[in-house]
Amino acid sequence: MTDAPSKVNLLGLSPSQLEAFFEQMGEKRFRATQVLKWIHQFGASSFEEMTNISKALRAKLSEVAEIREPEIVMEKFSKDGTRKWVIRMDGGSAIEMVLIPDGDRKTLCVSSQVGCSLDCSFCSTGKQGFNRDLSTAEIIGQLRVAIRSFGPFDPSGERRVTNVVFMGMGEPLLNFDNVVAATELMMDDNCYGLSKRRVTVSTSGVVPALDRLREVSDVSLAVSLHAPTDELRNQLVPINRRYPIDVLIAACNRYLQGLNDKRVVTVEYTLIAGVNDQPEQARQLVKVLRKLPCKLNLIPFNPFPNSGYERPSDEAIAAFKQIMLNSNVLTTVRRTRGDDVDAACGQLVGQVADRTRRSQKYIAVVQEEPVQGKSQAL
Ligand code: SAH
Ligand code: SF4
């Protein structure tokens, strides 16, 4: 049986873990580099393809190990270049991911957990509750699926995914070890070779884990703020009751100090009509952001059924942004992309859950005209 549970899925081993794996087998450590390249640069999914490895070792490897990717349940390509997938993980749970092109940049938004335990009031993933952590293989598998959607792997070709953000389902810092190992693979030159500026972990503010991250990684950081006061943030992002804004900002500053370059934190702020989008709140936010080297990413709320919230008008979004810019806060507004392939991250799974329950494999490739200009781009 190829998928016997006892086999190690090499897709999920970080470079150091793969070295240890080969050492344990009594093999030389450089095998790890060879196999890393085969798996992550050439997209190998079997050991037979690894022609610079002896037949005997290949046979031994296929007895104890495998290279297993998650299964695509649904795939949607939009005319504006946006691609979305729902992917089935081991055990049947589904997660989603989205690839968003923007000029030369192609940003893949990956999930780190099935569901999320943090229950932010405006987040559809939070409403689903927590199911389980994704393994490193399941996280890296998402990147492989996105790369392969452009054809067979081609290490000498153009980069198909230039940036990865952990802004899909789940709180990455609550799946710490697997997320860190996945980012190592993403940034390793023998694997995906993405620069540390192009791999971003987004957190709602799990402060102790952020301090741990500083010890082991120099990945880029995004923080979900969403409110300028603790009173409001306590309602929107419940983890704020444990780690309030000042404590979070201090942890972000510690993180930046640990980096050996001049990076800033991306502060995410989901704009919700009548909740956190008022001019007075923008002015309060300016004061908070003075304490942190950062850029601000305003995300117009993405409605979902029974959320109880609404997206602000384009005028309200523009006014909020202008106040920030007038105060010299570098501010972008997330463009609405891929409207023709349904809603954004966190919202696809619900839509396919019923269909996938009925049919084991449902793959839809949808090509429609994109919806134009819902919000301004930057
Ligand atoms: N758990 C992490 C990463 C995943 S969420 C975090 O919270 O940062 C990625 C981003 O999408 C977060 O900033 C989150 O607050 C935001 N988000 C969640 N639901 C949203 C919605 N319905 N509309 C707009 N942004 C949303
Ligand atoms: Fe979890 Fe992030 Fe959603 Fe909050 S916004 S519930 S932390 S996925």
Side-chain angles (χ1 to χ4, degrees):
M1 292 233 317
T2 50
D3 57 355
S6 56
K7 288 191 178 181
V8 186
N9 190 359
L10 299 194
L11 192 55
L13 297 194
S14 70
S16 54
Q17 288 167 336
L18 197 62
E19 279 190 1
F21 171 84
F22 277 104
E23 271 193 336
Q24 238 178 12
M25 281 180 85
E27 296 290 337
K28 296 267 179 346
R29 300 177 88 173
F30 77 90
R31 294 283 177 218
T33 310
Q34 289 179 316
V35 169
L36 275 179
K37 285 186 177 170
W38 276 114
I39 295 178
H40 301 289
Q41 292 188 347
F42 293 91
S45 37
S46 76
F47 299 108
E48 286 85 80
E49 297 165 57
M50 305 183 179
T51 45
N52 58 355
I53 291 174
S54 73
K55 267 197 160 168
L57 179 53
R58 280 188 262 157
K60 203 160 127 191
L61 279 173
S62 31
E63 267 167 36
V64 295
E66 63 184 346
I67 305 161
R68 186 160 37 87
E69 254 179 40
E71 179 199 349
I72 301 170
V73 176
M74 187 165 97
E75 190 171 51
K76 290 186 170 187
F77 295 174
S78 149
K79 279 243 170 88
D80 70 4
T82 305
R83 297 183 172 199
K84 295 194 183 202
W85 296 265
V86 174
I87 292 177
R88 199 197 319 278
M89 299 296 166
D90 290 347
S93 321
I95 62 96
E96 63 185 37
M97 62 166 189
V98 53
L99 180 71
I100 302 164
D102 191 6
D104 288 343
R105 200 187 282 202
K106 291 186 199 71
T107 303
L108 182 68
C109 175
V110 296
S111 295
S112 56
Q113 298 180 312
V114 182
C116 183
S117 61
L118 294 184
D119 200 22
C120 299
S121 63
F122 54 89
C123 173
S124 66
T125 303
K127 298 280 160 239
Q128 294 165 32
F130 175 70
N131 185 328
R132 72 171 174 85
D133 285 334
L134 295 186
S135 67
T136 305
E138 289 169 332
I139 298 170
I140 280 295
Q142 296 172 56
L143 178 54
R144 268 167 73 100
V145 163
I147 292 172
R148 193 171 294 107
S149 73
F150 293 91
F153 271 53
D154 176 12
S156 58
E158 199 181 305
R159 232 183 247 291
R160 296 163 181 182
V161 174
T162 61
N163 297 59
V164 176
V165 293
F166 282 78
M167 294 181 189
M169 295 175 79
E171 167 51 50
L173 293 189
L174 289 182
N175 182 13
F176 192 88
D177 292 341
N178 295 345
V179 165
V180 167
T183 60
E184 280 172 21
L185 289 166
M186 290 166 185
M187 299 190 287
D188 192 295
D189 283 338
N190 291 317
C191 303
Y192 301 92
L194 295 175
S195 111
K196 57 195 175 185
R197 292 175 170 272
R198 290 171 175 266
V199 180
T200 303
V201 168
S202 171
T203 179
S204 58
V206 189
V207 166
L210 189 50
D211 281 324
R212 268 178 77 204
L213 188 67
R214 182 165 52 102
E215 305 292 324
V216 297
S217 180
D218 59 358
V219 71
S220 296
L221 181 67
V223 166
S224 296
L225 196 63
H226 308 312
T229 63
D230 283 324
E231 196 190 358
L232 180 58
R233 195 166 190 266
N234 284 345
Q235 292 168 33
L236 300 179
V237 186
I239 198 175
N240 192 68
R241 295 174 204 153
R242 288 237 299 275
Y243 310 112
I245 293 173
D246 273 353
V247 171
L248 175 58
I249 299 282
C252 291
N253 275 309
R254 286 195 292 279
Y255 190 82
L256 288 182
Q257 280 153 18
L259 302 178
N260 61 7
D261 56 9
K262 273 206 154 65
R263 257 178 290 166
V264 299
V265 171
T266 303
V267 171
E268 293 158 276
Y269 192 102
T270 295
L271 280 171
I272 308 171
V275 174
N276 64 358
D277 67 339
Q278 301 299 302
E280 175 57 20
Q281 289 161 320
R283 287 188 280 272
Q284 290 172 323
L285 183 60
V286 168
K287 289 195 185 130
V288 174
L289 298 187
R290 290 241 160 83
K291 300 175 198 158
L292 178 70
C294 66
K295 57 186 180 198
L296 177 66
N297 189 14
L298 297 172
I299 312 171
F301 173 68
N302 235 313
F304 57 92
N306 307 319
S307 71
Y309 290 128
E310 281 169 26
R311 174 198 175 101
S313 66
D314 284 355
E315 292 70 32
I317 295 169
F320 197 97
K321 179 183 162 195
Q322 199 52 50
I323 294 173
M324 304 313 295
L325 290 176
N326 290 348
S327 306
N328 295 322
V329 178
L330 185 61
T331 305
T332 53
V333 176
R334 186 180 290 175
R335 207 188 320 186
T336 306
R337 300 299 300 268
D339 294 281
D340 58 327
V341 288
D342 301 323
C345 268
Q347 293 165 45
L348 268 175
V349 165
Q351 295 173 21
V352 293
D354 290 342
R355 276 175 278 178
T356 51
R357 247 176 253 130
R358 270 183 259 131
S359 113
Q360 275 304 300
K361 197 174 169 94
Y362 177 88
I363 299 185
V365 178
V366 176
Q367 301 254 344
E368 291 164 4
E369 291 302 322
V371 177
Q372 293 294 333
K374 264 200 176 170
S375 76
Q376 69 278 57
L378 256 184

